[in-house]
């Protein structure tokens, strides 16, 4: 078990190193900002490791949140994607607060980690847009 965690951590650090050259935030032609939390929240772990997301923000409102590759089980990510992430759509982030939404039942660790990724991503957006 410990060996698996060490290998997973090593693999994540390699992926993070490869993505370090990637920008944390990009702006699309239509004015949508996309914040990638891979490097912003690499210390935030879900059930089985980091749980990065892309946060799409346009005119200070979250358009959508897209989970990125993670070692958390596909089942847990699917539950979060279906039951939790739609709650963020249309949320105004201008005031710097992200509302607390209910996590997906049965995917508590993944839900909590993704919530923290979203908080960090929104904070980054507001500071750097």
């Amino acid at each position: 078990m410990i060996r698996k965690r060490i290998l997973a951590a090593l693999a994540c650090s390699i992926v993070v190193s490869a993505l370090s050259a990637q920008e944390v935030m990009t702006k699309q032609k239509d004015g949508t900002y996309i914040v990638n939390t891979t490097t912003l929240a690499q210390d935030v772990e879900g059930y089985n490791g980091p749980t990065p997301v892309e946060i799409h923000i346009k005119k200070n409102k979250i358009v959508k949140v897209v989970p990125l590759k993670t070692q958390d089980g596909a089942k847990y990510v699917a539950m979060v994607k279906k039951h939790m992430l739609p709650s963020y759509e249309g949320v105004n982030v201008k005031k710097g607060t992200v509302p607390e939404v209910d996590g997906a039942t049965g995917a508590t660790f993944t839900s909590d980690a993704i919530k923290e990724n979203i908080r960090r991503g929104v904070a980054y957006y507001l500071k750097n847009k």
Side-chain angles (χ1 to χ4, degrees), residues 74-124:
K75 171 181 150 185
Y76 301 117
V77 174
M79 289 175 9
V80 167
K81 193 173 179 180
K82 180 178 179 184
H83 299 289
M84 187 180 89
L85 295 184
S87 299
Y88 287 101
E89 293 174 10
V91 168
N92 190 323
V93 299
K94 189 174 185 178
K95 295 179 183 175
T97 57
V98 178
E100 187 63 34
V101 301
D102 290 336
T105 302
T108 304
F109 294 115
T110 303
S111 296
D112 290 346
I114 288 179
K115 287 179 194 180
E116 180 60 22
N117 271 267
I118 293 169
R119 281 191 284 274
R120 290 188 188 188
V122 167
Y124 185 90

Side-chain angles (χ1 to χ4, degrees), residues 4 8 16 24 34 54 67 69 73 80 84 109 116 128-129:
K4 282 185 180 180
V16 168
V24 173
I34 300 175
E54 277 186 349
K69 186 173 173 102
V80 167
M84 187 180 89
F109 294 115
E116 180 60 22
N128 297 285
K129 68 176 182 161

